[in-house]
Amino acid sequence: MSKVSFSVNGEVRDLELDTRTTLLDALREHLHLTGTKKGCDHGQCGACTVIVDGRRINACLSLAVMHEGDAITTVEGLGSPENLHPMQAAFIKHDGFQCGYCTPGQICSSVAVLEEIKAGIPSHVTADLTAASQVTPEEIRERMSGNICRCGAYSNILDAITEVAERQA
Amino acid sequence: MKFDTPATTNPIDRMKVVGQPIDRIDGRLKTTGQAPYAYEQNDAVRDPAYGYVIGAAIAKGRITGMDLRAARAAPGVLAIVTAENAGPLGKGDMNTARLLGGPEVDHYHQAIAVVVAETFEQARDAAQRVRVDYAPAGGAFDLAAARDTAKEVDQSASSVGDFEGAFAAAAVQLDATYTTPDQSHAMMEPHASIAAWQGDRLVVWTSNQMINWSAGDLAKTLKLPKEKVRLISPFIGGGFGGKLFLRSDAVMAALGSRAAKRPVKVALQRPLMMNNTTHRPATIQRIRIGAAPDGRIGAIAHESWSGDLPGGGPETAVDQTRLLYAGANRLTQLRLAVLDLPEGNAMRAPGEAPGLMALEIAMDEMAEKLGMDPVQFRIVNDTQVDPNDPDRPFSQRQLVKCLQLGAERFGWDQRNPRPGQSRQGRWLTGMGMASAFRNNLVMKSAARLRLDSRGEVTVETDMTDIGTGSYTIIAQTAAEMMGVPIDKVTVRLGDSSFPVSAGSGGQWGANSSTAGVYAACMKLREAVARKLGFNSADAVFAEGQVRSGNRGATLAEAAGPDGIVVEDILEYGDLSKRFQQSTFGAHFVEVAVDAATGEARVRRMLAVCAAGRILNPKTARSQVIGAMTMGVGAALMEELALDKRRGFFVNHDLAGYEVPVHADIPHQEVIFLDEADPISSPMKAKGVGELGLCGVGAAIANAIHNATGVRVRDYPITLDKYLDRLPEAV
């Protein structure tokens, strides 16, 4: 067992955990923040995507005790049913989900992807590494490809992200 | 309510709420992480222990010894359940293989133990300490090798006229064999359950499409009376047929909980899913088509071979060929081999999905032999009656309109009929199409309604929402019927204490479950009218009020302080026998294939669907684009790779079993024809969730042929199967 302290959605949480506990299980089983989903537990599906210190990660691939002092944002921290984040509202409007199980991960990824593009971080499909990154369908599809949606809502998710990006621009 | 004559005008026809593209009513919960799935019942279940499932490491044989000592001594362990100490177990009616194996092992990764511990980490650790010795036995694993041992499936043969004679005499003939691989549902939420015993009663929160089937099968497996078992499944993270049945997660949670005397939660570990649960079985399909020079089919035969465990069933890949095209001489036949692989069973559009992957390539090949446009070839062979029984009409059949509208909207006239001729830089480009067909099944379905003193309506039914939009269309149905805004309707689903519904499967869920709600609403309307002394026949329900002549009252007044509760079921007569009910569509696809590397990319996709009344165009469209996406997977990448020596699927996780990702999927277009089918139900709706998948794989295969000139008949169409046959790269 080991002590760890980090903030989740702006609230400091002090936990004493089995050192084998992943960040994902710390969130789901210890803090009961079950919005972050376990789809594979092996970093293969993206359902557990959360934002740590501004960067998106697969929470299942990271032990909780590695996050001392980190600031973690989960889907619950982006918005609530009564006060939706613009990305959550866009997913509803464009029906960017069906079963909903990959959805929190898709939304956390989407929010982080737009920040990555803004920050000029290139992707595999960025043609010109010296130019400013653009919000194009190809860039969004490439950067979102770590988040599997078996219901196949990709076309609608792209529409949702594009709308939020255009509003931010 | 009995539905035995075609629907006439009814309150749904107002289409003020039904038929509108309303956002999902559960959308705010799902997008904010507040929708509680099976494993997330922290409000209902306190202090659960954790179960970790051990899967058999052989495909067939016997466990000769299990050494549990180290595991039992490991920290936090509360119980270990194996076949030896589980007590007598039955087997569910819908299960082929037992859900707890041992000492005999029926298939690879069959559950043979569950280790229960205080924490997930402790259960996982202790499970690694269990030592199992096996005496493996030989088995049959390879369908191609077992093909000649396959037996004819009873009543699967269908013969009209003289196929052999007509085929032999046909001016243009095709005789080709196609294969489709084993596929995995690979839904995002693993099979998961929490079990809690309350005395001799068992409550299980689970992720399941068919609550009533699975409550019955869990009771049967545990040898309990069905009324002692309650299943609760409010949100389901995808199913696609993989959660139609009771699976080992629920049984292991129940047994683990009984042994540990604590609520126990079990999520099937992802690497177990592909071999522990069911899959879509591989097929070998032989198709023969004979046609006259004008393109009219005179002879058509479709035979399919598949395998399953003893007692299992075939993949019914020939069914659509009985109904899709005209032709006086016909033959279909299924054959089933015994294979010692994991259990084969239904996956989205069972039968038609792999069947059309083969048939619709065959139709493309035939069109090419005839020198006909593939769209025109299909139009020429349309039939408005069941080809096996010309006195039996289709209730609605707008296949030709789907084909024509699709061709027009997609720009099919831009397609070069000569394959391998269209080039854009490094890309060979091509277009392909296929017909879509899936039968429309109807299932009896019940619902309970409560009208309360605020004039609000609550619907309860054990229907499930697996992403299909059941919550939303049921709310739309109740709102339309009772004349209230949709936010005055509460929908509660997925609980075996609610009236038994159609459940989610076979694309029957939307039409059947809303028809059950319709029946209950009719009863509630009568109860309201009676209470107010109105004549229910001329009572008008609108804007929260009920009016009859110059009298009127609010629903709240009608309900009174005690409210009104009614329950009804919609049952079907013989309309399904008198009419052939099916859904139709056409898929159009453009692909680009890298002339040097063979990489295939899907550039554009269009589906045109004729599927009765569309209850919610937004959620229905999502069903179709999702199915089209699964069709891209089936065409280009999905295959459970089989180890033919050891008898298991090797790529048993989401990295090895490749499904489409964002980068694989272009913008997708869907057009629904304006249709209402009064034969199907009072809703006049049909299913679309499986129709959207049917034919997609072949449309892509045909587009790759058009782009490259190479015909691949073995799915998935990976580049290793055509790279050496690509046109010379300049």
Side-chain angles (χ1 to χ4, degrees):
Chain A
M1 302 293 278
S2 182
K3 286 186 178 171
V4 63
S5 176
F6 45 65
S7 84
V8 182
N9 302 327
E11 190 184 338
V12 175
R13 309 300 295 251
D14 301 306
L15 292 168
E16 185 165 8
L17 295 171
D18 187 321
T19 50
R20 299 169 294 188
T21 307
T22 61
L23 176 59
L24 175 59
D25 283 328
L27 292 169
R28 284 170 63 80
E29 304 303 322
H30 296 266
L31 299 175
H32 290 180
L33 289 167
T34 54
T36 308
K37 302 303 182 193
K38 185 185 279 193
C40 69
D41 217 10
H42 290 71
Q44 301 169 341
C45 76
C48 66
T49 304
V50 297
I51 302 168
V52 177
D53 293 340
R55 298 283 294 270
R56 58 189 168 134
I57 66 164
N58 288 338
C60 74
L61 287 186
S62 174
L63 296 172
V65 293
M66 296 160 65
H67 291 282
E68 180 66 33
D70 286 354
I72 297 156
T73 302
T74 71
V75 73
E76 293 96 338
L78 292 176
S80 63
E82 300 74 32
N83 184 23
L84 295 170
H85 183 279
M87 192 66 78
Q88 292 166 327
F91 267 62
I92 294 171
K93 177 182 166 191
H94 292 281
D95 212 33
F97 59 95
Q98 292 176 43
C99 82
Y101 201 76
C102 75
T103 311
Q106 301 276 358
I107 289 172
C108 284
S109 247
S110 301
V111 169
V113 158
L114 294 183
E115 292 301 317
E116 285 163 22
I117 294 175
K118 246 187 243 166
I121 299 171
S123 82
H124 173 67
V125 299
T126 307
D128 183 352
L129 296 181
T130 62
S133 299
Q134 302 294 312
V135 182
T136 65
E138 292 70 30
E139 282 283 0
I140 294 171
R141 288 191 183 113
E142 168 62 25
R143 293 167 191 264
M144 290 299 295
S145 283
N147 290 85
I148 296 173
C149 170
R150 184 59 161 163
C151 295
Y154 298 129
S155 188
N156 289 350
I157 293 172
L158 180 71
D159 291 346
I161 299 173
T162 302
E163 182 185 297
V164 173
E166 283 170 357
R167 245 187 285 139
Q168 284 180 356
Chain B
M1 180 183 286
K2 188 84 180 267
F3 183 73
D4 50 11
T5 56
T8 54
T9 303
N10 69 44
I12 296 295
D13 294 328
R14 293 189 291 193
M15 299 274 281
K16 285 185 175 158
V17 193
V18 169
Q20 301 303 314
I22 291 169
D23 290 343
R24 284 170 203 266
I25 63 170
D26 50 345
R28 284 174 180 262
L29 292 179
K30 283 183 172 177
T31 55
T32 59
Q34 304 296 327
Y37 294 78
Y39 200 75
E40 303 166 355
Q41 301 296 326
N42 293 312
D43 290 338
V45 183
R46 295 279 162 203
D47 196 26
Y50 292 78
Y52 198 89
V53 177
I54 299 177
I58 60 169
K60 192 178 183 190
R62 195 175 169 81
I63 295 169
T64 54
M66 290 180 89
D67 184 348
L68 306 178
R69 287 171 298 179
R72 283 206 173 108
V77 171
L78 301 168
I80 302 175
V81 181
T82 68
E84 207 167 61
N85 64 7
L89 295 176
K91 183 160 77 69
D93 292 336
M94 312 298 282
N95 297 125
T96 304
R98 297 169 301 149
L99 297 176
L100 175 61
E104 298 297 327
V105 173
D106 304 308
H107 64 86
Y108 190 81
H109 273 178
Q110 184 175 32
I112 55 168
V114 60
V115 178
V116 180
E118 291 284 352
T119 71
F120 173 70
E121 294 77 22
Q122 290 170 333
R124 181 178 58 190
D125 172 63
Q128 316 306 320
R129 298 170 192 255
V130 173
R131 302 259 66 94
V132 187
D133 293 316
Y134 300 95
F141 307 122
D142 181 8
L143 177 62
R147 179 176 174 174
D148 293 340
T149 69
K151 302 264 191 313
E152 291 189 3
V153 176
D154 282 351
Q155 296 173 346
S156 77
S158 164
S159 177
V160 178
D162 170 20
F163 168 77
E164 298 290 349
F167 181 69
V172 182
Q173 299 170 339
L174 172 81
D175 181 349
T177 298
Y178 307 84
T179 64
T180 62
D182 298 288
Q183 294 179 338
S184 178
H185 311 86
M187 74 297 282
M188 297 310 297
E189 181 203 23
H191 299 74
S193 295
I194 304 177
W197 291 86
Q198 296 161 357
D200 63 346
R201 303 178 68 85
L202 174 65
V203 183
V204 180
W205 292 262
T206 190
S207 183
N208 192 283
Q209 300 173 228
M210 298 294 294
I211 296 303
N212 187 50
W213 288 0
S214 297
D217 273 356
L218 181 56
K220 194 168 179 198
T221 302
L222 298 174
K223 297 186 180 288
L224 293 172
K226 189 177 172 190
E227 61 270 18
K228 299 283 188 188
V229 173
R230 183 175 172 200
L231 252 52
I232 304 174
S233 195
F235 292 96
I236 295 131
F240 314 113
K243 293 174 181 169
L244 283 170
F245 315 115
L246 177 73
R247 296 304 316 168
S248 62
D249 56 298
V251 177
M252 295 302 107
L255 294 174
S257 175
R258 188 155 68 186
K261 300 183 172 53
R262 282 260 293 277
V264 167
K265 55 200 297 190
V266 173
L268 205 57
Q269 304 95 271
R270 178 60 67 176
L272 284 185
M273 193 212 134
M274 279 72 175
N275 289 284
N276 177 280
T277 72
T278 60
H279 66 281
R280 190 202 298 282
T283 64
I284 299 170
Q285 301 180 48
R286 182 188 186 196
I287 296 176
R288 286 173 285 171
I289 305 175
D294 65 358
R296 284 178 203 285
I297 294 173
I300 185 164
H302 193 163
E303 297 158 275
S304 175
W305 289 256
S306 61
D308 203 359
L309 288 164
E315 181 69 24
T316 55
V318 305
D319 284 5
Q320 73 289 321
T321 309
R322 298 185 59 179
L323 294 164
L324 186 48
Y325 298 116
N329 302 285
R330 322 175 66 84
L331 175 74
T332 58
Q333 174 77 66
L334 295 173
R335 291 184 185 82
L336 178 63
V338 171
L339 292 181
D340 300 294
L341 293 175
E343 177 176 331
N345 220 314
M347 178 168 150
R348 198 174 196 169
E352 279 103 330
L356 284 162
M357 286 165 77
L359 177 64
E360 290 297 290
I361 295 183
M363 290 295 286
D364 200 63
E365 296 199 57
M366 232 5 230
E368 192 182 20
K369 280 177 182 262
L370 287 156
M372 278 181 86
D373 179 84
V375 175
Q376 191 57 30
F377 178 49
R378 287 166 172 88
I379 290 172
V380 163
N381 287 293
D382 185 47
T383 174
Q384 292 294 313
V385 296
D386 177 350
N388 308 282
D389 179 2
D391 293 332
R392 187 166 172 263
F394 284 91
S395 63
Q396 301 260 353
R397 181 172 162 127
Q398 298 202 68
L399 174 63
V400 170
K401 191 158 183 205
C402 292
L403 292 164
Q404 289 171 331
L405 184 63
E408 180 195 319
R409 293 290 177 85
F410 198 70
W412 183 252
D413 58 352
Q414 300 299 304
R415 171 183 178 264
N416 186 339
R418 290 183 56 219
Q421 302 295 313
S422 299
R423 186 94 186 234
Q424 292 173 3
R426 59 188 255 233
W427 297 101
L428 300 162
T429 61
M431 292 188 207
M433 56 76 56
S435 297
F437 174 93
R438 170 75 173 145
N439 276 335
N440 180 59
L441 307 174
V442 290
M443 297 273 273
K444 67 182 178 183
S445 196
R448 183 159 59 226
L449 290 183
R450 187 167 66 249
L451 178 66
D452 67 24
S453 60
R454 295 166 301 166
E456 300 193 2
V457 179
T458 300
V459 186
E460 290 177 339
T461 168
D462 83 355
M463 183 59 191
T464 50
D465 189 331
I466 61 173
T468 38
S470 308
Y471 276 109
T472 308
I473 57 173
I474 285 172
Q476 288 175 270
T477 302
E480 190 79 81
M481 290 297 292
M482 300 312 299
V484 297
I486 195 165
D487 62 3
K488 300 296 181 198
V489 179
T490 301
V491 181
R492 302 178 66 204
L493 301 181
D495 187 325
S496 63
S497 68
F498 299 157
V500 175
S501 74
S504 299
Q507 80 167 12
W508 64 61
N511 178 49
S512 298
S513 70
T514 54
V517 174
Y518 170 95
C521 285
M522 288 305 281
K523 202 167 187 178
L524 181 56
R525 288 164 63 108
E526 279 166 31
V528 167
R530 200 180 318 120
K531 200 160 169 188
L532 294 169
F534 293 0
N535 178 359
S536 70
D538 63 17
V540 176
F541 290 73
E543 287 154 10
Q545 304 208 326
V546 51
R547 299 191 168 280
S548 176
N550 55 8
R551 300 166 65 198
T554 65
L555 284 177
E557 288 163 355
D562 298 336
I564 304 174
V565 178
V566 301
E567 183 176 330
D568 204 1
I569 183 168
L570 194 94
E571 296 180 282
Y572 294 85
D574 66 350
L575 286 171
S576 295
K577 290 202 178 71
R578 287 159 52 201
F579 295 87
Q580 176 58 42
Q581 293 188 41
S582 305
T583 60
F584 298 89
H587 288 287
F588 290 83
V589 172
E590 181 181 318
V591 301
V593 179
D594 190 302
T597 68
E599 176 190 1
R601 309 287 305 163
V602 177
R603 286 188 164 180
R604 289 196 294 141
M605 302 184 83
L606 166 68
V608 184
C609 301
R613 173 175 281 157
I614 299 303
L615 302 174
N616 181 329
K618 182 176 278 196
T619 54
R621 179 180 171 278
S622 290
Q623 282 288 290
V624 176
I625 68 167
M628 291 158 77
T629 301
M630 194 173 272
V632 172
L636 298 180
M637 61 195 84
E638 288 186 38
E639 176 177 22
L640 283 168
L642 175 64
D643 184 323
K644 293 174 186 172
R645 300 156 304 154
R646 294 176 60 82
F648 72 102
F649 300 126
V650 180
N651 50 344
H652 52 73
D653 61 27
L654 287 174
Y657 186 82
E658 294 184 6
V659 299
V661 299
H662 280 273
D664 297 314
I665 301 301
H667 180 70
Q668 295 162 318
E669 292 282 349
V670 181
I671 299 169
F672 293 113
L673 297 190
D674 191 12
E675 188 175 281
D677 191 338
I679 308 292
S680 74
S681 83
M683 301 302 293
K684 304 175 187 175
K686 293 177 179 174
V688 293
E690 301 190 330
L691 179 69
L693 173 59
C694 293
V696 177
I700 294 169
N702 296 338
I704 288 175
H705 174 260
N706 182 243
T708 63
V710 184
R711 185 69 73 179
V712 179
R713 299 188 182 87
D714 302 297
Y715 290 98
I717 304 172
T718 46
L719 57 84
D720 53 295
K721 293 173 183 165
Y722 58 78
L723 185 60
D724 59 345
R725 291 185 280 160
L726 285 180
E728 206 57 37
V730 181

